[in-house]
Amino acid sequence: MPTENELLNNVDALLNRVDQNDLPTPAERRRLREAAGLTQTDIAKVLGTRREAVANWEAGKNEPRPPQRTAYARLLEGLTVRFPASATETAPDSAVPDTLTTTSAPETPSAMAPAAAKPPAHPAASSTRPASTSRRPSAKKAVKKTAAPAAVVDPRFENGPLAVVDCEDGQVSAYCVGGLVLDVPAKSLPALVDWTITEARLGQTRLHRNGRDADPILVLTPAALERYGLPAALSDEERRTGRLKDSHKVVKQIQRAELQLTQRGLGPWARLFRDPEGPRRRCVQLCIPSWNALDAREWDKKDDPQLPGMHPADLARYLGTYAQRVMTPRGTTSTTGLELMTALRPPTRAEKNETTGEFERALNTDALTAVYEHVECEVPDEHPKLKGKFERHHLRTPAEMLMEEPYDWCRPLTDDECMLPYLVAIDVNMAFAAATNGLTVGLGAPTHLTGNPVFDPKVPGSWLVDLSHVDLSRVETGGRTLDAGLLPSPFTPKGDRPTGPAWYATPTVAYAQELGFEVAPIEAHVRLESGRYLDPWYNRLRDAYVATMADLGVTTTMGGQEFLDAITVHKQVDPTMALLLNAIKSTAKGGIGKLRQRSRGQVPYYEPWPALARETWRPDIRAAVLATVRIGMHRKILKTAAATGRYPVAIGTDCIVYPSTGPSPLDVLPYTDEGKPVPGTFRLGVSPGMVKHQGTQTVLWAEAQFEEAGAVFNLANLIKTDPASGEGE
């Protein structure tokens, strides 16, 4: 086996023989290494990187960046000379133009949940535009692939959805997705915006034929801020107002250039634009991380921030992949999650008037198209509709307010459970997103039903009904009667049995019927126009989540111990993709939360706040989703109890804690004699709605926690092997 010095000498010997740093296909990289008898560790040492990075290059999960890219390409070139591929291994050469317009998508993780394609390696701008040049070489060969059909790249946006703008030694560069780096000629911020509009070829194609293309985003590093005369951080006053003062010199530059800013001004997420040219928008969004544009609670690790020290190429990969798999970011992940709903279900379309021949605005029947009158029981306490209804500090009861929330429940351990050694916590993947899959929600105006209306499980809405008669001890599951005292009620977040009439969303009342009990509503607010509005939203986020987990080494084909082993180390495989995973989960959870966005002190109590003017301010939809999360978990808890005799001791949102004889979920979850999960119970796996291991603690540890607190409390979110486990789910 060659020594490290010999490898370095081989690389140096190739310096004058190679003008390009093109890379062979991932499979060829691995073949060359194995033909030379080298290990991934050998190459990692030579290139000054990690073995995992070399493994990812050979798997095609990501690409090396300079300076490793150049050295790696030259090493492979030398190995190609020494170990040429046989005729059967080499695909026929085919000419590829310097500017590619298509790129092959990678294989999807499995047919169960097709993953979004990996970000294509976008080419540089055409040589006819010398003002912006690429420092990433063009491809020489097109290797025949059979995995997936080629994805067409819109030539308007061939360089990707966004770029990270940085400045080094006086040279401004734009780092794009796929390793592309553009030289930026702009000397001022207005010139940078105009360059982006006219030359950069950045942006994203609409997600729905009736939607609109996403504006390009420029992410400005501190070095770029300094180059364009902007402060690296906002002052205390500027942070409070969320913008630079209008007297700032750069704001005046923007005004002199006749560019326009939105009412938010020049802040962390600034939008600059010129009037459209016909149907073409001319708008650029700025994202300034050092001004807290990327909140660490959503986009980063809040206890150990990674973004401030991240290389611009990695930041472009992170945000660019998010844009390609989810959508172009729109501020917080919560806002992006809400905007994704509208992007996939646009409220309007252009429809031709056959009489006049003109195109007119028409409404889409499968979307949220109007702001309807809000329902009193569905709104939060500060809503204008409640003004004068209650005393200022009145706490509304379940009979006055729809209280559909996730579980926050716990109970003391029984004597038998205290004899068991472990508490095992399992976590539902993407619980909020999974609950939207196939969920029928209201689209139109609410209709108020009085006089004891008949319950219809197919009609979404809010129902005032007494479910206090539902007794879980009378419910037979899997041929056996369960111990109701060890189970939470499915109808309340705290797991307490209802004591009288209360408002519930349709999924909750339907579950009472499913358990075999009669329901008799007193009144209701229902939406007769309904549909599966959130299905494309779920599909988009599911594919993004599964694709990113595959990048981290966890695929949909894994189960049992193989899955548990992979999930244990997945965040160490690629830290950048681990951040992306958390951002996707935050997008799902935050998007649902935005459906009932509360006043953040912008206006006095009982005064309308801006969110109320949105068609997507729909607390009834949020309630239906959260009810489905809780009911779905309860249904599986009953099935698990029937199959194993095990009962949970705590539930926190999407985490369930079981006493166990062993430390693994495999010691808790039921399996058939054939080794398959018992139908209807929790199932290990990567797809949304399946579960993973969140953590294990001992029963003695739990008893010590209770003794220290002086009471039993919910331990669900304290039992974490990985401190970041479960965040954003």
Side-chain angles (χ1 to χ4, degrees), residues 326-388:
V326 181
M327 70 178 298
T328 300
R330 302 290 178 86
T332 65
T333 55
S334 302
T335 298
T336 305
L338 189 70
E339 291 289 328
L340 180 62
M341 297 178 193
T342 303
L344 294 168
R345 295 279 201 191
T348 62
R349 68 183 186 279
E351 188 172 81
K352 188 173 183 179
N353 186 316
E354 298 299 333
T355 303
T356 64
E358 300 290 331
F359 281 93
E360 299 175 348
R361 180 175 178 270
L363 299 179
N364 291 320
T365 58
D366 61 354
L368 302 177
T369 59
V371 177
Y372 298 107
E373 183 179 1
H374 299 146
V375 175
E376 181 178 311
C377 69
E378 296 172 350
V379 300
D381 294 337
E382 67 272 23
H383 195 279
K385 201 168 186 67
L386 300 181
K387 187 174 184 179

Side-chain angles (χ1 to χ4, degrees), residues 557-590:
T557 60
M558 293 178 175
Q561 191 60 50
E562 181 187 19
F563 170 75
L564 293 174
D565 291 342
I567 207 72
T568 300
V569 299
H570 75 288
K571 291 190 177 181
Q572 285 74 53
V573 171
D574 188 334
T576 302
M577 289 295 101
L579 287 181
L580 174 61
L581 185 72
N582 283 336
I584 292 170
K585 294 189 289 187
S586 295
T587 302
K589 184 176 181 179

Side-chain angles (χ1 to χ4, degrees), residues 187-193 220 224-232 238 244-261 265-267 270 272 286 288 291:
K187 305 299 183 184
S188 67
L189 188 65
L192 177 65
V193 172
L220 303 183
L225 293 176
E226 181 182 0
R227 174 64 182 81
Y228 290 119
L230 292 166
E238 289 165 344
L244 286 182
K245 293 181 179 179
D246 291 341
S247 59
H248 194 279
K249 62 179 182 180
V250 175
V251 177
K252 291 184 175 180
Q253 284 179 3
I254 293 170
Q255 294 169 347
R256 287 196 299 270
E258 298 183 347
L259 279 166
Q260 301 177 64
L261 282 162
L266 187 54
L272 293 87
L286 303 182
I288 307 178
W291 294 6

Side-chain angles (χ1 to χ4, degrees), residues 343-535:
L344 294 168
R345 295 279 201 191
T348 62
R349 68 183 186 279
E351 188 172 81
K352 188 173 183 179
N353 186 316
E354 298 299 333
T355 303
T356 64
E358 300 290 331
F359 281 93
E360 299 175 348
R361 180 175 178 270
L363 299 179
N364 291 320
T365 58
D366 61 354
L368 302 177
T369 59
V371 177
Y372 298 107
E373 183 179 1
H374 299 146
V375 175
E376 181 178 311
C377 69
E378 296 172 350
V379 300
D381 294 337
E382 67 272 23
H383 195 279
K385 201 168 186 67
L386 300 181
K387 187 174 184 179
K389 296 280 186 179
F390 306 103
E391 294 294 329
R392 177 68 172 81
H393 298 291
H394 172 75
L395 295 178
R396 287 192 287 167
T397 67
E400 298 167 333
M401 179 183 183
L402 181 65
M403 296 184 179
E404 295 286 15
E405 300 291 340
Y407 269 127
D408 179 11
W409 168 85
C410 65
R411 63 171 177 81
L413 279 73
T414 66
D415 291 343
D416 289 341
E417 290 169 342
C418 287
M419 300 301 293
L420 297 175
Y422 297 106
L423 294 178
V424 176
I426 56 175
D427 179 76
V428 181
N429 302 327
M430 295 275 284
F432 286 22
T436 67
N437 185 23
L439 180 65
T440 299
V441 299
L443 301 178
T447 299
H448 189 195
L449 305 178
T450 58
N452 304 107
V454 176
F455 175 69
D456 186 343
K458 296 180 180 179
V459 178
S462 302
W463 306 79
L464 181 62
V465 58
D466 188 353
L467 299 180
S468 60
H469 63 290
V470 178
D471 184 357
L472 295 180
S473 65
R474 295 162 51 197
V475 176
E476 190 174 280
T477 304
R480 62 184 294 182
T481 302
L482 305 179
D483 187 341
L486 301 180
L487 291 167
S489 167
F491 307 126
T492 62
K494 291 293 184 180
D496 301 324
R497 186 168 171 174
T499 58
W503 286 100
Y504 302 101
T506 295
T508 301
V509 185
Y511 187 57
Q513 278 192 335
E514 179 184 324
L515 293 175
F517 295 89
E518 292 185 1
V519 295
I522 300 168
E523 64 175 303
H525 296 273
V526 299
R527 277 81 180 174
L528 300 178
E529 296 177 39
S530 62
R532 291 166 56 161
Y533 172 74
L534 293 169
D535 272 7

